[in-house]
Amino acid sequence: MDHSNLDWMISVDDHVLEPPDVWQKRVPARYRDRAPKLVSDADGERWVYDGRNVPTSGLSAVVGKDSTEFSPEAISYRDMRPGCYDPVARAEDMNVDGVIASLCFPSFPRFCGQIFYEAEDKDLAAECVRAYNDWMIDDWCAAVPGRYIPMAIMPLWDPHLAVTEIERVSALGARAIAFSENPAPLGMPTIHDPAGYWDPMLAAAADHELVVCMHVGSSSQLPRISPDAPVLANMSWGSVRTAGAMLEWLFSGKFQQFPRLKIALSEGNIGWIPFFLNRADQVLNTQKYWAGRGVTFDPAGGTKGMGSNPAVDLDQIDIWRDYREHIYGCFIDDAPGVALLDMVGEDNVMIETDYPHSDSTWPGSRKLAQQRLGHLPAEQQYKIMRGNAERLFRFTPAEPPEVV
């Protein structure tokens, strides 16, 4: 591994605006009239599916614009930069940005395919999931080989069907699956479900070495500090969701159950990680005795309320070890997190550009990364900028192009 070449990075969190024909070209003919389609008329441009009209948020496609022009108001494809939806144009934009490879989350299906989970016709939804995954692997990723890390979505309503899809996409070259940071707000069982609802899917992901990627917002919720807190305050507070996801997984027992399981916490930043790891370690060491007996806890008094999961052997949990072996934090721009790298872990951190969203650092991502990481030894810089992603996703990028 050439640690001296710090001119290129891998972004493990970007986004694709699906081309209008993704589902119309790929689902069986009998479904096409009801499959997702992009419609443009006097009412504007929107995706139509399952009785819904879904416009594209302007914040999802801001690259090439000044921040004074940003707005969540609906945007049409003709007003987007081609790199939002065209893989060849995207690769050209990546060249400008010093990004040699990219992992992209979906847009219309939402970050882990929630829209298909919510649909009435699950047979059609399953076809739509497969169509998206085929397009991601065979069209988007294959258009510019070695530049895109293939990530699949799952039929979340049926973990056993998800196992079949994991086996299928793994054989096609997938390296990751998208999952929710918190399934409960979506109306699904949590990872603590006593019946092990998600266990077949997690076992398959671990067996096939597919990273479980959880993007901030994949619970379809924006946490609110208070009922009328300003939206920008709530957006600033958003990493609390990612912290909650990390803590849930650390105490879930899933890493003991599935020792090869790896998860990535996308777009959640990393500066908060040492604090919550330290706090979780304190809580485990002081509270595990009564919690391990299955005693419930009511913060208002009494013995009714939040319960512990007696199926989890708390003596098997080692907060810092389990974090280092199974969890990867991802950041766009997090100077405090980089300053705490010795506690966050140089092997557990990856970088993002968030193209083409409103948090994106394009076209200055490489320059910003060098500013934030330049004081570190070259080997550490290389790990964060690309080495950790190459290792975790088992992905060898293409040779860097000649950029004029």
Side-chain angles (χ1 to χ4, degrees), residues 112-113 129 133 152-157 162-163 165-166 169 177-178 201:
C112 64
V129 166
N133 291 337
I153 59 175
M154 292 292 104
L156 298 170
W157 60 93
V163 170
E165 187 65 1
I166 284 172
V169 298
I177 62 172
M201 188 191 78

Side-chain angles (χ1 to χ4, degrees), residues 17-34:
L17 281 296
E18 295 81 16
D21 61 355
V22 167
W23 292 278
Q24 292 299 310
K25 283 177 58 176
R26 287 167 185 80
V27 301
R30 66 183 183 277
Y31 287 123
R32 284 182 191 153
D33 62 331
R34 294 187 293 120

